[in-house]
Amino acid sequence: MLDERVGEIVFDMDSQSGRQLATIQPPLLLPYLQTIHLQSLKEMSHVWKCNWNTFLIQHYPPLQFPFHNLTDIRLSYCHKIKYLFSPPMEKYLSKLKSVDIYDCDGMEEVISRRDDEITTSTTSVSSSYQDTTFFPHLDTLKLSFLQCLKSVDKLSCNMIHDEFQSGQVIGCCWSLCQYPTKISISRCDALSSLIPWYAVRQMKKLQELIIWNCERLMEVFESESSSNNVNEGGARVVGGPPLKNVGLPQLSNLKTVRITGCDFLSYIFTFSTLESLNQLKKLNVIRCKAMQVIVKEEKETSSKPVVFPRLETLELEDLPKLKGFFFGMNDFRWPSLVIVKINKCPQLMMLTSGQSTTPKLKYIETSFGKYSPECGLNFHETISETTFPASSEPTISKGMPFSFNSLIEINIEQGNVGKTVVPSNALLQLEKLQQITIYGCEGLEEVFEVGALEGTNKSQTLVQIPNLTQVKLEWVDDLKYLWKSNQWMVLEFPNLTTLCITGCHKLEHVFTCSMVHSLVQLQDLHISDCEEIEVIVKEEEEEEEGDAKVNEIILPRLKSLTVDQLPRFKGFCLGKGAFLLSALDTLQIKECPAITVFTKGHVSTPELKVIDTSFGFCYVNTDINSLLKTKQEEWDSDEDDEDYEDDEDDEEEEEEEEDAIN
């Protein structure tokens, strides 16, 4: 690695010394050099300064090229360099494996012809590219933070057009991208297209393509029609005859495509490209403002089904203009697809116009939750008129083409869902809902909005959420209710097994007595770090007025109960009802200084032998209430003793201070 004292040129092949070294047999121009790493060379404008057309013809054939063992090149923070290679070098750097260019503000091209002497005809120059393998071992091409990069390697558009028409071009013209297995392009904002149309058909080795925040990129794989409309200066023009002998794109080893933050990109693949994508496993498209489709239709199309035999993951996120994956009428088959993530795609109403077959897909994942793919990937077939009412539409899922009918899981993290997660008119649609996990949603006050349903004349309605088994709520600071009990509607959760609530500081209780009767499958209940919780089960309002019916409340399968760090917690239930907890064998009560009793009514826990408390492990020789009362008295007594000792210590300190003063 060279330091900043290097001047404008690292290897000056046009100097007198360079020409003299070239005449020595064998040449002495670093034939064993393998790695070049140039960093922070403020004055460097050229790595190699040479008229290679003249230099190679005069000195080397049939001699060995001076840098023929070079395998790795890395440039970083070299802001005056405008390009790296000249075309004649390409055929001689046969061992090159890696090219990495990072934060070179002046870089405009990777391969440039600007310093070559124009002494030969177009035919003689282009003929050097025929039947030639360029960079055959190049494995990785990485270009990052190159604000002025306009192209990687652009040949004369007129020259390529003429030679393709005549059928003379046989080899690949965009040589730098012919053989890499990995191409990573990031923050190259001047780049309008990445891979020219005449190179796509030669990229059989490409396995991973990553494009990140190339703001002006309009095409990833340049189409023939768009390249046909480019003049010699690189500007788009209208018209142009169609090209012959181009061939179909070949991306037969491409496994991963990740594209993020390309705001001018309206599509990724053309339809003719799909046939070669038989190894594609992952496709991620994120934050592309202009993206309308993933696959663009072409004039000449086929009606045969499209098959993605190995595609496992499809992720589409923050694509505000995306309307579909493909608008053609072809059927799509996705035999390996297991992960589909769709988020912030408000205009997306379908993936394909034709039928989609996804035998392994179990759910579609969004920022709101997971949905059943029963109707395939044509979402318009699953939309319900009551998907999201205008009055209570969750912000996080606004415009999503999914219905509560197909909702399997609610998984929300740091999202804005408004005051409620599930609106009241969607409660009857939650037959498939199995799990709820909510973390840190500011402004959320109620999980289920419980109110009178239209057409019920405000008579009480019983609503079951039959398949819900797990609920986990963490750090939902504004949460006041899981669901608010009222006279119009009663919710039941007959298969709920696990409820965990942590850090919900405005929550005062978990259930009312009328709610808890349906929890016949509840096994684990964990409540911790909730500042306002006073009870787990709150008595009904009529019970508070003295008209309570003293009934036994049974939780037949509750095995584990934990209450921890609840400063205002007074007891499990302060009503007069009796509790039968026949399966409870694990009870933990810690850092609940306000607790006085477990319940005011009778409580039966035949399987409970030990309670884990702040005082240590306590054996249950009598009932829980008696044990808690005894331990509370011991706790108060210990605190009184500590206060008395502290007072005595304070008095002794005061006496010592007075003696010292006297």
Side-chain angles (χ1 to χ4, degrees), residues 141-370:
L141 174 63
K142 188 174 182 180
L143 308 175
S144 309
F145 291 86
L146 308 180
Q147 300 298 322
C148 294
L149 185 71
K150 295 180 180 179
S151 69
V152 180
D153 184 9
K154 282 280 190 179
L155 292 178
S156 164
C157 294
N158 288 340
M159 179 189 74
I160 296 300
H161 180 275
D162 293 341
E163 299 221 355
F164 263 101
Q165 290 284 37
S166 64
Q168 293 178 13
V169 175
I170 301 174
C172 175
C173 299
W174 198 50
S175 52
L176 197 61
C177 281
Q178 181 176 357
Y179 288 99
T181 59
K182 180 179 180 179
I183 296 177
S184 176
I185 312 292
S186 59
R187 297 307 300 264
C188 297
D189 291 338
L191 200 63
S192 62
S193 65
L194 182 57
I195 302 174
W197 55 272
Y198 48 78
V200 180
R201 67 188 186 121
Q202 297 288 342
M203 303 184 67
K204 295 181 180 180
K205 288 190 175 182
L206 182 63
Q207 296 184 20
E208 184 175 359
L209 177 63
I210 300 173
I211 306 172
W212 178 71
N213 281 17
C214 294
E215 294 182 355
R216 298 185 183 180
L217 188 70
M218 299 180 68
E219 291 181 306
V220 179
F221 304 101
E222 188 180 64
S223 63
E224 175 191 336
S225 59
S226 60
S227 66
N228 216 16
N229 298 329
V230 179
N231 63 20
E232 191 67 30
R236 295 288 171 93
V237 296
V238 179
L243 300 181
K244 303 175 182 177
N245 304 320
V246 175
L248 293 175
Q250 291 297 320
L251 300 167
S252 54
N253 274 298
L254 186 59
K255 296 179 180 178
T256 300
V257 176
R258 294 204 299 267
I259 299 176
T260 303
C262 298
D263 289 340
F264 281 20
L265 196 62
S266 61
Y267 71 97
I268 299 174
F269 304 108
T270 58
F271 184 78
S272 60
T273 308
L274 298 184
E275 191 171 354
S276 69
L277 297 175
N278 50 26
Q279 296 292 331
L280 187 63
K281 290 186 176 181
K282 295 181 180 180
L283 177 58
N284 306 77
V285 188
I286 302 171
R287 296 199 317 273
C288 297
K289 292 181 180 179
M291 185 71 63
Q292 297 183 13
V293 292
I294 304 301
V295 179
K296 180 183 176 182
E297 287 186 272
E298 294 174 311
K299 292 181 180 180
E300 297 182 5
T301 60
S302 169
S303 60
K304 65 180 181 180
V306 176
V307 182
F308 282 94
R310 290 177 173 81
L311 187 66
E312 298 174 355
T313 301
L314 175 62
E315 182 177 2
L316 307 173
E317 181 173 353
D318 201 0
L319 308 176
K321 292 187 178 181
L322 184 71
K323 297 180 179 179
F325 188 90
F326 177 66
F327 285 159
M329 296 306 298
N330 303 70
D331 290 343
F332 274 66
R333 298 172 185 169
W334 323 71
S336 302
L337 191 62
V338 294
I339 298 175
V340 174
K341 295 182 179 181
I342 299 175
N343 182 30
K344 296 182 181 179
C345 301
Q347 295 191 40
L348 180 65
M349 299 302 291
M350 61 181 178
L351 278 194
T352 62
S353 297
Q355 293 296 317
S356 286
T357 306
T358 57
K360 291 186 177 181
L361 186 63
K362 298 187 182 301
Y363 55 80
I364 299 168
E365 187 172 349
T366 75
S367 59
F368 187 76
K370 296 177 180 179

Side-chain angles (χ1 to χ4, degrees), residues 596-597 624-634 636:
T596 55
V597 294
I624 301 176
N625 290 331
S626 299
L627 176 63
L628 288 176
K629 183 178 180 181
T630 301
K631 289 299 178 183
Q632 191 66 46
E633 290 173 353
E634 292 176 0
D636 294 339

Side-chain angles (χ1 to χ4, degrees), residues 331-576:
D331 290 343
F332 274 66
R333 298 172 185 169
W334 323 71
S336 302
L337 191 62
V338 294
I339 298 175
V340 174
K341 295 182 179 181
I342 299 175
N343 182 30
K344 296 182 181 179
C345 301
Q347 295 191 40
L348 180 65
M349 299 302 291
M350 61 181 178
L351 278 194
T352 62
S353 297
Q355 293 296 317
S356 286
T357 306
T358 57
K360 291 186 177 181
L361 186 63
K362 298 187 182 301
Y363 55 80
I364 299 168
E365 187 172 349
T366 75
S367 59
F368 187 76
K370 296 177 180 179
Y371 294 82
S372 169
E374 287 187 352
C375 295
L377 300 180
N378 299 332
F379 309 126
H380 60 287
E381 298 179 10
T382 69
I383 293 179
S384 167
E385 293 181 359
T386 58
T387 299
F388 294 118
S391 61
S392 58
E393 182 175 353
T395 303
I396 196 171
S397 52
K398 185 176 182 180
M400 291 299 293
F402 302 108
S403 165
F404 279 105
N405 284 312
S406 59
L407 188 62
I408 299 173
E409 295 183 11
I410 295 176
N411 298 311
I412 308 172
E413 183 173 348
Q414 302 290 356
N416 179 11
V417 296
K419 292 185 177 181
T420 62
V421 177
V422 182
S424 58
N425 65 334
L427 292 173
L428 294 174
Q429 303 176 35
L430 301 178
E431 292 185 357
K432 292 185 174 65
L433 183 62
Q434 300 174 12
Q435 181 175 318
I436 297 176
T437 303
I438 303 175
Y439 179 87
C441 294
E442 186 176 352
L444 177 62
E445 296 181 1
E446 191 174 13
V447 178
F448 299 95
E449 182 186 41
V450 179
L453 295 178
E454 293 182 6
T456 60
N457 298 319
K458 293 190 176 181
S459 59
Q460 190 177 73
T461 304
L462 179 64
V463 177
Q464 282 197 348
I465 317 295
N467 292 301
L468 183 65
T469 60
Q470 298 182 41
V471 176
K472 187 174 184 180
L473 309 173
E474 292 186 320
W475 309 109
V476 189
D477 289 340
D478 297 319
L479 187 71
K480 295 181 179 179
Y481 312 99
L482 273 71
W483 66 96
K484 189 175 181 179
S485 178
N486 60 51
Q487 68 270 31
W488 301 299
M489 183 179 293
V490 176
L491 294 189
E492 292 191 348
F493 301 88
N495 284 298
L496 184 66
T497 61
T498 303
L499 175 61
C500 178
I501 301 175
T502 302
C504 299
H505 298 306
K506 292 186 179 180
L507 191 66
E508 296 181 0
H509 67 273
V510 183
F511 311 109
T512 63
C513 289
S514 61
M515 297 174 182
V516 79
H517 283 289
S518 71
L519 302 176
V520 293
Q521 297 294 332
L522 185 64
Q523 298 176 21
D524 298 291
L525 180 59
H526 179 110
I527 314 294
S528 64
D529 202 3
C530 298
E531 294 179 357
E532 298 297 324
I533 278 191
E534 296 186 358
V535 293
I536 305 300
V537 180
K538 182 179 181 294
E539 65 270 32
E540 308 290 353
E541 292 182 2
E542 60 269 18
E543 292 179 359
E544 294 176 353
E545 296 173 358
D547 298 329
K549 297 178 181 179
V550 182
N551 296 321
E552 186 176 55
I553 297 175
I554 302 174
L555 294 172
R557 288 181 171 78
L558 183 63
K559 291 179 61 63
S560 174
L561 171 62
T562 298
V563 287
D564 187 10
Q565 299 182 69
L566 308 179
R568 302 187 64 179
F569 183 66
K570 297 178 180 179
F572 186 80
C573 180
L574 302 183
K576 297 179 181 180

Side-chain angles (χ1 to χ4, degrees), residues 45-73:
S45 61
H46 292 80
V47 178
W48 292 276
K49 178 66 174 178
C50 182
N51 186 315
W52 288 101
N53 280 327
T54 302
F55 188 86
L56 292 172
I57 292 172
Q58 289 181 353
H59 300 296
Y60 284 95
L63 303 178
Q64 221 172 26
F65 183 67
F67 302 100
H68 70 278
N69 280 313
L70 191 62
T71 59
D72 298 279
I73 298 176

